[in-house]
Each structure stands twice: as C-alpha cells, then as structure tokens.
Amino acid sequence: MNSALIEEYYAKIKSEADAKIETLREKPVVWIGTASCGKAAGAEKVKEAFEQAIKNNNLDVRVIEVGCMGYCYAEPLAVISKPGFPSICYGYVDEGLANRLVEDFLMGEDPCYEYALVALEANDYFPTFSDFPRGVYEEKIILEHCGFIDPGDIDHYIAREGYAALAKALRMRPEEIISEMKDSMLRGRGGAGFPTGIKWETCRMAEGEPKYVICNGDEGDPGAFMDRNILESNPHQVIEGMIICAYAVGASRGYLYIRAEYPQAIMQVKKAIQQARGKGLLGSRVMGSEFGFDLEVFEGSGAFVCGEETALISSMEGKMGIPRQRPPHPAVSGFHDKPTVLNNVKTFCYVPPVIRKGADWFKSTGTPESPGTAVFSLVGKVSCTGLVEVPMGTTLRNVIFDVGEGTPGEKGFKAVQIGGPSGGCLPESALDLPIDFDSLQEAGAIMGSGGLVVMDEDDCMVAVARFFLEFTQHESCGKCTFCRLGTRQMLDLLTDITKGEGKPEHLETLRELAEDIKAGSLCNLGKTAPNPVLTTLRYFRDEYEAHINERVCPARMCPELIVFYIAPEKCSKLCNVCVGSCPTEAVYTREDGLKAINQEKCVKCNNCLKACPPEYNAVIKLSPPELLKEKEGNQ
Amino acid sequence: MSKMITITIDGRKITAPEGERLLWVALQNGIYIPNLCAIKENSRPSASCRLCFVEVEGFAAPVTSCTLPVREGMVVKTRSPRVDRLVQTAFELLLSHHRLECSSCPGNGSCELQRIAKERRLKLRVKRYKPLEYGTEIDDSPKTFVFDRSKCVLCGRCVWICHNIAKVGALGFSRRGLRRAVTTFGDIPLADSPCTECGLCVEACPVSALY
Ligand SMILES: Cc1cc2nc3c(=O)[nH]c(=O)nc-3n(C[C@H](O)[C@H](O)[C@H](O)COP(=O)(O)O)c2cc1C
Ligand code: SF4
Ligand code: SF4
Ligand code: FES
C-alpha cells in the first residue's frame, strides 16, 4: 500500500473533523444522552425542554444527542459545556431542571452544582470521575467515548483519533496486524474468550474466496445491554475494528448481525456505514488504497440461540437458526461455507486501540492471561446500575461494592449471577475472585457476554436457578437430545422443588442430569445451561434442602411456600392502604379494626406488603405456610 | 482412494481409510456403538442424538464418534463409566418423550431403541425422569405408510433422505425446543404434500414412527 497517500488521506479527514469540533468549543453546548436507556428515562422530553428554553430566550446554544455514559441509574443525563467553565454532567434531569439550567447557567453564571453529578475536566470547584471510588476502579478502553460524542456524526469520532488505527493498519502488512493481535492476547468478548489473533490467522490461512467478517450483535442474555449501548453510542469504533479485521484476513464483505429488537442500534449503525462510505472508509478503495471492503446490517430474528456462531450463520443464509457440530469452525468454513471471522461487538471495539497503541500497551492493563478490560452491565439489587468497564483482574467485590456502591436498602448481599443464563451464581465467599476468563470458570461461572445481576436476601436461589433455566429451556433449539429434553426435565424438577413438592433424591438426579447435559450437549447453549443450577447447588444447597425437607423458602419468595400475614401488634388500625392495594379484595378490616388477609382470596401479589407504610411494616411473609396456624392460634 | 491407516478400538487393531468417521469404521468391523441420527453419506453429520459417545486417547472428554474422522494410531474405547453414563442419560431422556408401548408397536423386534437397550443393558423404562407429553397426531394419509409422531425420536434421517436421496423435500423440521417436529411444509397431510411415497423415509426410520 502507498503509505504516503494513506497518511495524506487520513490527515485530510482528521483536519476537517478537528475544524468542525473546534467550532463547537467556541459556544455553549448541551449534550444529552439519548441511547435507549436515556430515552426510557425520558431523555427526549428533556431535550425538547432544553431546545424550547434555548429558543424562547434566543440563545446561541447547540443541543447535541450523545449515547450512553454508563451511569444508567442517574438517567436522563445532560452535560453542559460552556466556555470558561469545566464541562459538567447533571443526573436525574427533568424538564424543570432543564429550564433552570438554561436560566441560571446558560443565561447566567451559576452552574447549579447542587444538581451536578460530576465534572468532566479537572477544576477547583467540583469533583471529576477520578475523585469517586468508581473512577478509581474504572478504566475505559472501549467505552471511552461512549456518551461523549455524537454517534450520528463521524467527525466526532475522527476528531478523537477515530480511524487513525485504520490508517496505521493499511500501512502495515496483514501478517503484521495479525501478529500484533496475537501478541496483544486479546480474547473474544462474546463469552468463550477465544484468542482473537488466532481466529484471524486461521481465517487468513484458510482456503476459499471470498472471505467474510461478521460482527455478532445478537446479545440475547436477559439483563445484558452492553453491545446495544456501544452500537448506539459509538458505532464507528466497531466498524473501524471490522475494516481492520477484513484487511488483515483478506475479506471483502462484512455484516453486522444486530437483533431486530434494537432499532436504535440498527439506525445508528446504518447511518455510520453511510457516513463511512461518504468519507471513503468503506467501499472499493478504502482510504484511497487498493483494498476494498463494504459492510451491511443484517437484522436478526432475535432468538437467543442465534447468537451462537453456527446458528447465526445458518440464519443469515436463510435457514433455520440451528447450531451445527464444530469443527469445522466458521474461520475455516462459515458463511456460505467460506472462511469467516465472527467476533463480538466488544471484541471489534478493542481492535482500533490495540492497533493504534500496540500490544504492549494493551497488555499493561488486566491480567497476563486475560489482558485488557471487562465490560459489564451491572443490574439487579445494586445502587448504581449501569455500564461498567474495569481492568480484568478487578475483584467482584470492587465492582459490586465500590463501583456499584453495594445493595440498596437494608437487605444484605446474597449472590451475584455472572454470565447470564449460561453463567453461575456466586456467593459472598467468591467475591474476592478476580474477574477474568479462567478464574470465573473455576468457580463454575463464566465471563459470558457480561451481565452482572446482583441479588440480595429477598432472592431465592432455587427460584433464580429456575428462572434462568426456564429461559434456556425456552430458547433451546431442540436439535439435540440433552438440551431439548434434559433442560425440560431439570426445569420440571426445579418447579417441583419451588412448590415444596421436591424429594430428597431429586437433588442427586438434578445434579447428575446437569452434569450430563453439560458434557453431552451439541452446542454451548446446552453445555452452559446447567451452570446456574450447578452453582446454586454448590453454594446454596441449604436453600434447596429447606424447600424440600421443611417446605420453607428461606428468602420467602416462592409463592407456594409462603403466606402473607398482617401482624396485629404492628398494624395501626387507622390506615387503610393495604385494603385498597389488594387486587382481589383479600385484605379486610376485622371487627376490632385490625386488618387481616383472607387466605383463600390471596394471590400473593406482594401489593399489600409494599403498600404498608414503613413505620408499621405490619405485612409479613411466613414460610412454611403452616406457621400461619401457629400465629393465628396465639391470638 | 484415501490412505489406509490403523487404529485400535477396544484393543482390536483395525485398518480403515483415513478420514472415515469412527462410527462407520466401528460398525463395519462388527463393533456396535449406539446411534440414531447418523447417515453415512451425510458429510455434515447432524450429531443430534448424542448416543454415539466414545473415549479417544488424547481427548479430555467423550466425543461423538459419528463426527470424528479417524487418524493413524487413534486409540478408542467404546465403553467407559463416563460414556455409559452419558448414553444412559440420553437414552432415558429420549424414552421420556416417546410412546413406550413396545408390545403393540409395529416396530417391535426391529427397533433401534430396543437394540441399544439390549447392547448396553439399559431398561426400556423411564425411571429418573417424568414422562413428557408427546404429539399424538397420526398422519395416515399416504396410501403406503403411516407417520406416527408419538414414536419419533427426531433423528432427522427421514428428512435428510427425503431431501438428498429422494430429492423431494416433503419432510422437514419445524418449530423449536420441545416442540421441534418432523412435518410437512405448512403441516399439511403427507398426501397433500409433494411426497411421492417413494418409501425411502420409512426404510430410514430407526424406530417405527414411519411404518
Ligand atoms: C446460546 C449462545 C448464545 C450466544 N450469544 C452471543 C451473543 O449474543 N453475542 C456474541 O457475541 N456471542 C454470542 N455467543 C458466542 C458466539 O457463539 C461466538 O463464540 C462469539 O460471537 C465469538 O466472538 P468472540 O470471539 O469475539 O467472543 C453465543 C453462544 C451461544 C452458545
Ligand atoms: S445444545 Fe440446545 S441449542 Fe444447542 S444444538 Fe442442542 S438443542 Fe440446540
Ligand atoms: S420419523 Fe423416524 S426417521 Fe424421521 S426423524 Fe422421526 S425417528 Fe427419525
Ligand atoms: S449418531 Fe452421533 S450424535 Fe447421533
């Protein structure tokens, strides 16, 4: 490739982008996070409020939509950058606050620090990210620009060194890129942690033309939304990674497989592809070189198993999305039986920084076997939900208690489910495990694609295992014996246990069956489906035994094993909220004014318990249900 | 003709063409390995019944013999505690979704499930699991055969034969998970489908779902 030409090409697009961004710095800008998470919290209304107030006051202020910063718990988020002030991020913004910020800050000089979450640049007045515990643990490689750039404008990405890695890669030989990737020890972030460089090398060496590059954006784990947020917030980083990959392996066509339930991600990616073509970064002459490559979005039907690579390819070929036996691996025989690199969204995102800054830089973060960072969606019973990026090797405790600020409310931490339905439930005693591919596997969990669901004492581990198994059983494609029938048999056993109909010998049957499904299934859906059951059996066996032997649900969650009861000594008599909250009119007022529950009518919806004011907390759950007789007998 | 190589199965030295799949090498040499879904002519085995597990030296876990090409010097054991356990579980799981009425079944005596039970001393009974509900519709629309879904083990042999040998494509898989079934396009009776009643599927069926 002609190095000088490529250098020149890049310098030109970079200076154009810089010039555009420079004009933004001269005037105030309101940046609003409108990724799916922001929109769900009402970001669009906030944006309108800002725009209206700016217009009403004839201000020269731009409003720009950005993606997700990862602080989903504080959405809607807005950042205001005004010359002369540090850029400041505000959380929980509503229309009222938007108006106030326009009046006091944009028209006046008061940045309203009382509503500020964090400042983006170091200053004397307000703390920045690195002043919070979260900032200490977080290190952003692939989320660095998410939420800070306009995903709909390629120049924002280019101004932040976007496509510099591509310009560098095109001046390298493909073999050099592959050896840099191998050297970096980057491992695939789609779950299994396979070394990316080796996958690329296999594809490059494999016979067959044309070759393909596919990005796996199926993301079907319940509770996971990292890939969606990245595609919505910084689509060019994925695209750049894919172009570099294509050049390295010798592919001429690529596809981004994105689930149809992600319309905003699809929209942003399509727009980004258009703009990349417009800049000559995709097409028959990438950056003016002889290398040609183009990309298309493929909208997936959304079944969970379609995220499995062979099923994904089969569904792209217009067939049923059903896995097949590997080998051959897609890198040798993939899309239309041609060599195909298939990587996760996040994996491709690491490529530009690795190429730009080199393998050694990448390996300076994380652990020797799992270098780099881990990206999680932190959800469940944790104070600060959101997207988190920490170095590999950070402990689960740091992520949950420092970054996530622990479990809210009085209930203590009980377990964390890591890796989604294919992962495992780990107890308090496992919290000092470093997060990396291999340590988690030893504990019975997997890195998975990065969902972290935190659970507290109100969560029943048998019910949780049952929940995940119900998901995988439902998503099983039904091709192979173990997964089709085995997961169903396990689910039936778990259902019996949660109903108090389990027998002591069921635990052995369950464990053996789980191990056999793991060993015998055809694809990784079946091979990992038993993990939630195996880990809960390993770490929370006492809860299973309580359900079976005593008909007790220790977390008081399994409906068949609990009754709702209003403690007469706590009930205020004067308040009536529980009566009104009950959908079936099971709660009634006794002659003496106390409230009570007609058990025949109770559907265990939990409404009365939530309705009872905290100063009384009179509604309690009893398990086993037989305790009710005792309580009522005492009166 | 590919190169002939020597492998060892259960202590016996066996010569076979390199690259041939282990299951067929064993069967040809009179060594039985349970199997339902394998078709010799299919170059991409579906590997879905999960019954043909064996131990191969150098592999950490049991592997499916229908997918494994043989290589010089390979050492294979068709039985081990791990293999037996997997086969027993897969077999019992299949039975839990199968109408187990051998004495009144047209396949009694020629059924592959009975053969597996005999070879591996397994009970034709569901003990550890719950019998699951199975589809009961019987398609007797063809003149020459009957399709009884309650017996089908979803091996896919009929589907493959119908597409690749008969080249008709009347049968196919539809639906997912436990509802996965062999059926015609649009679930219409076979007589109304492109089926030519060539009978190849009936021959291929290892149980008596097609008879
Ligand atoms: C049931 C199942 C679902 C999967 N879903 C996804 C997914 O949503 N996204 C993903 O990247 N990989 C998923 N995978 C993993 C892929 O098969 C594949 O390993 C991965 O995309 C490879 O990319 P990587 O090397 O970058 O990790 C799934 C695997 C299984 C078995
Ligand atoms: S393990 Fe489950 S999803 Fe995978 S092929 Fe078997 S039945 Fe299908
Ligand atoms: S009908 Fe017979 S051949 Fe066809 S899938 Fe069912 S068991 Fe296999
Ligand atoms: S014969 Fe090998 S899996 Fe069915």
Side-chain angles (χ1 to χ4, degrees):
Chain A
M1 299 268 166
N2 188 326
S3 287
L5 273 182
I6 289 162
E7 215 164 321
E8 209 176 291
Y9 197 103
Y10 174 69
K12 186 167 145 278
I13 58 170
K14 175 82 162 76
S15 66
E16 282 167 12
D18 284 344
K20 184 165 176 185
I21 299 303
E22 204 43 52
T23 60
L24 284 181
R25 283 193 230 278
E26 291 156 9
K27 289 178 193 153
V29 180
V30 180
W31 313 79
I32 298 177
T34 55
S36 294
C37 46
K39 281 194 177 149
E44 272 170 329
K45 281 227 165 64
V46 171
K47 178 173 166 253
E48 278 163 29
F50 269 112
E51 282 170 342
Q52 197 59 46
I54 288 166
K55 192 163 149 233
N56 292 348
N57 294 298
N58 274 325
L59 301 180
D60 188 9
V61 175
R62 285 192 56 188
V63 176
I64 295 180
E65 292 185 45
V66 293
C68 167
M69 246 187 244
Y71 290 69
C72 305
Y73 66 95
E75 300 263 21
L77 288 166
V79 171
I80 297 184
S81 47
K82 181 174 172 176
F85 291 87
S87 298
I88 295 183
C89 173
Y90 302 87
Y92 312 101
V93 184
D94 57 14
E95 290 154 85
L97 181 55
N99 284 317
R100 169 123 188 236
L101 286 168
V102 171
E103 274 169 36
D104 292 0
F105 189 20
L106 291 173
M107 298 169 69
E109 297 281 299
D110 172 14
C112 305
Y113 285 126
E114 63 273 34
Y115 296 104
L117 207 58
V118 62
L120 304 191
E121 298 109 28
N123 65 86
D124 295 336
Y125 311 100
F126 206 78
T128 59
F129 286 115
S130 52
D131 298 321
F132 293 97
R134 177 166 176 171
V136 175
Y137 289 101
E138 274 203 301
E139 184 173 330
K140 295 198 173 186
I141 295 179
I142 61 173
L143 298 183
E144 188 184 357
H145 303 315
C146 290
F148 301 105
I149 63 174
D150 179 357
D153 185 346
I154 189 170
D155 284 325
H156 282 235
Y157 180 63
I158 295 177
R160 299 211 178 194
E161 293 194 89
Y163 291 105
L166 177 62
K168 182 172 174 192
L170 290 174
R171 287 178 280 144
M172 292 161 75
R173 281 182 299 115
E175 297 79 11
E176 288 175 310
I177 298 173
I178 287 176
S179 101
E180 192 74 31
M181 291 303 295
K182 277 169 67 181
D183 211 21
S184 76
M185 310 239 313
L186 172 63
R187 296 170 69 172
R189 297 311 202 243
F194 188 82
T196 305
I198 295 180
K199 189 184 273 187
W200 290 17
E201 185 172 54
T202 310
C203 180
R204 177 165 180 82
M205 310 299 267
E207 277 174 38
E209 291 285 331
K211 291 179 178 165
Y212 297 97
V213 174
I214 298 176
C215 173
N216 188 344
D218 190 50
E219 195 172 50
D221 289 19
F225 51 86
M226 301 77 63
D227 295 358
R228 180 192 74 196
N229 276 20
I230 291 172
L231 292 168
E232 288 177 355
S233 306
N234 193 2
H236 283 289
Q237 194 169 346
V238 187
I239 292 172
E240 186 181 7
M242 292 182 75
I243 307 175
I244 295 172
C245 171
Y247 173 67
V249 304
S252 52
R253 257 206 108 58
Y255 298 88
L256 284 121
Y257 185 104
I258 308 176
R259 60 172 42 223
E261 288 93 326
Y262 284 180
Q264 195 176 341
I266 291 172
M267 185 273 288
Q268 289 294 9
V269 171
K270 284 188 171 164
K271 197 168 176 184
I273 291 175
Q274 281 294 336
Q275 295 187 358
R277 280 194 199 124
K279 292 259 180 202
L281 303 169
L282 284 171
S284 54
R285 294 173 61 87
V286 174
M287 285 195 172
S289 72
E290 294 91 73
F291 166 63
F293 178 68
D294 213 345
L295 269 178
E296 246 175 79
V297 171
F298 186 96
E299 294 182 32
S301 60
F304 177 60
V305 73
C306 287
E308 197 280 334
E309 52 189 22
T310 60
L312 183 147
I313 287 172
S314 157
S315 83
M316 281 182 59
E317 290 168 345
K319 298 184 233 156
M320 274 176 97
I322 289 196
R324 60 166 179 72
Q325 175 87 13
R326 295 174 306 174
H329 289 276
V332 175
S333 172
F335 190 47
H336 295 311
D337 298 330
K338 301 293 182 210
T340 304
V341 167
L342 201 144
N343 277 130
N344 172 257
V345 170
K346 293 174 286 295
T347 313
F348 281 123
C349 281
Y350 284 103
V351 175
V354 167
I355 293 298
R356 206 168 66 235
K357 304 186 197 171
D360 288 333
W361 164 82
F362 184 68
K363 281 188 288 191
S364 67
T365 304
T367 66
E369 297 303 317
S370 307
T373 53
V375 176
F376 289 107
S377 48
L378 192 57
V379 294
K381 308 275 178 61
V382 59
S383 298
C384 301
T385 55
L387 269 197
V388 172
E389 182 170 6
V390 292
M392 289 273 187
T394 307
T395 64
L396 281 165
R397 194 182 298 283
N398 288 147
V399 171
I400 296 165
F401 288 95
D402 297 313
V403 178
E405 296 183 15
T407 47
E410 290 151 28
K411 295 289 159 81
F413 169 90
K414 188 193 237 175
V416 55
Q417 168 78 12
I418 176 162
S422 345
C425 256
L426 303 180
E428 162 82 32
S429 63
L431 285 186
D432 293 309
L433 273 182
I435 296 173
D436 66 57
F437 289 103
D438 312 305
S439 311
L440 291 177
Q441 197 130 22
E442 269 164 45
I446 58 162
M447 188 83 156
S449 42
L452 267 184
V453 188
V454 180
M455 287 169 278
D456 70 10
E457 283 159 4
D458 282 338
D459 292 303
C460 166
M461 291 298 112
V462 186
V464 164
R466 192 188 165 281
F467 167 83
F468 283 109
L469 202 77
E470 189 173 30
F471 175 83
T472 32
Q473 192 268 329
H474 182 77
E475 294 296 327
S476 163
C477 82
K479 179 175 177 178
C480 75
T481 305
F482 283 104
C483 174
R484 178 181 71 245
L485 299 165
T487 55
R488 174 54 189 265
Q489 293 291 358
M490 278 175 68
L491 182 62
D492 284 354
L493 286 166
L494 287 167
T495 305
D496 284 353
I497 296 173
T498 54
K499 285 185 178 162
E501 291 162 12
K503 304 215 169 60
E505 64 271 20
H506 282 171
L507 289 186
E508 255 336 85
T509 311
L510 195 60
R511 191 183 54 79
E512 279 178 15
L513 182 55
E515 287 171 0
D516 290 347
I517 296 170
K518 212 172 154 145
S521 291
L522 172 66
C523 88
N524 278 335
L525 188 146
K527 282 181 195 296
T528 57
N531 285 343
V533 176
L534 284 169
T535 46
T536 47
L537 268 175
R538 176 164 155 193
Y539 299 115
F540 301 98
R541 196 179 174 98
D542 52 331
E543 286 197 31
Y544 281 86
E545 284 165 352
H547 282 74
I548 294 175
N549 302 335
E550 300 155 44
R551 286 179 39 83
V552 168
C553 173
R556 296 187 179 79
M557 186 176 163
C558 295
E560 271 88 355
L561 299 185
I562 56 169
V563 284
F564 285 78
Y565 171 69
I566 299 178
E569 68 278 13
K570 290 187 178 177
C571 174
S572 97
K573 281 190 191 181
L574 301 173
C575 116
N576 241 342
V577 286
C578 53
V579 178
S581 75
C582 179
T584 61
E585 296 179 4
V587 187
Y588 63 97
T589 309
R590 304 192 325 192
E591 272 169 23
D592 55 9
L594 290 168
K595 314 296 162 194
I597 298 173
N598 177 346
Q599 298 296 337
E600 316 249 281
K601 286 190 184 170
C602 173
V603 291
K604 299 176 187 172
C605 68
N606 217 28
N607 280 6
C608 56
L609 191 143
K610 276 187 278 176
C612 185
E615 60 267 38
Y616 309 127
N617 262 340
V619 183
I620 54 177
K621 293 187 272 189
L622 302 174
S623 181
E626 290 72 36
L627 282 182
L628 186 65
K629 286 201 197 78
E630 218 172 278
K631 289 270 182 196
E632 285 179 342
N634 287 345
Q635 281 170 46
Chain B
M1 214 30 225
S2 44
K3 192 170 105 193
M4 295 304 279
I5 49 133
T6 308
I7 65 169
T8 313
I9 306 181
D10 294 341
R12 250 178 76 191
K13 289 251 179 298
I14 286 169
T15 44
E18 176 164 34
E20 171 116 293
R21 286 184 179 68
L22 179 58
L23 174 67
W24 304 108
V25 175
L27 293 177
Q28 255 148 29
N29 286 280
I31 300 170
Y32 184 73
I33 297 173
N35 70 90
L36 287 173
C37 69
I39 298 170
K40 195 166 179 205
E41 296 75 28
N42 184 358
S43 60
R44 280 217 166 163
S46 80
S48 58
C49 77
R50 317 306 287 170
L51 285 166
C52 65
F53 281 106
V54 295
E55 299 268 359
V56 180
E57 261 184 39
F59 286 79
V63 282
T64 46
S65 59
C66 68
T67 56
L68 191 71
V70 293
R71 300 264 174 270
E72 178 63 52
M74 206 173 239
V75 180
V76 180
K77 280 203 312 204
T78 60
R79 304 287 296 268
S80 78
R82 291 196 298 185
V83 164
D84 289 356
R85 180 171 156 184
L86 283 176
V87 174
Q88 186 188 357
T89 299
F91 188 72
E92 196 174 338
L93 285 171
L94 283 171
L95 294 187
S96 75
H97 200 218
H98 176 86
R99 189 201 294 269
L100 262 178
E101 291 168 4
C102 298
S103 56
S104 60
C105 177
N108 196 5
S110 63
C111 171
E112 196 66 24
L113 293 173
Q114 291 178 330
R115 172 149 192 219
I116 295 168
K118 188 160 159 264
E119 296 272 357
R120 292 287 160 108
R121 297 177 184 280
L122 296 169
K123 295 253 159 28
L124 277 160
R125 195 154 59 82
V126 182
K127 195 171 130 243
R128 293 177 290 171
Y129 314 128
K130 274 192 199 163
L132 300 171
E133 256 175 65
Y134 40 76
T136 48
E137 337 76 276
I138 291 180
D139 184 354
D140 55 4
S141 66
K143 288 196 195 64
T144 49
F145 65 91
V146 176
F147 181 22
D148 176 358
R149 284 218 174 78
S150 65
K151 303 279 171 64
C152 174
V153 292
L154 296 177
C155 71
R157 293 162 64 100
C158 55
V159 173
W160 195 85
I161 302 269
C162 186
H163 281 255
N164 297 283
I165 307 292
K167 299 209 187 294
V168 174
L171 289 174
F173 279 114
S174 84
R175 297 190 277 276
R176 322 174 53 81
L178 210 57
R179 297 176 62 234
R180 181 167 159 95
V182 169
T183 177
T184 54
F185 188 72
D187 290 331
I188 53 173
L190 274 159
D192 301 337
S193 79
C195 170
T196 60
E197 300 199 20
C198 70
L200 286 173
C201 59
V202 179
E203 238 171 83
C205 185
V207 293
S208 280
L210 287 156
Y211 65 93

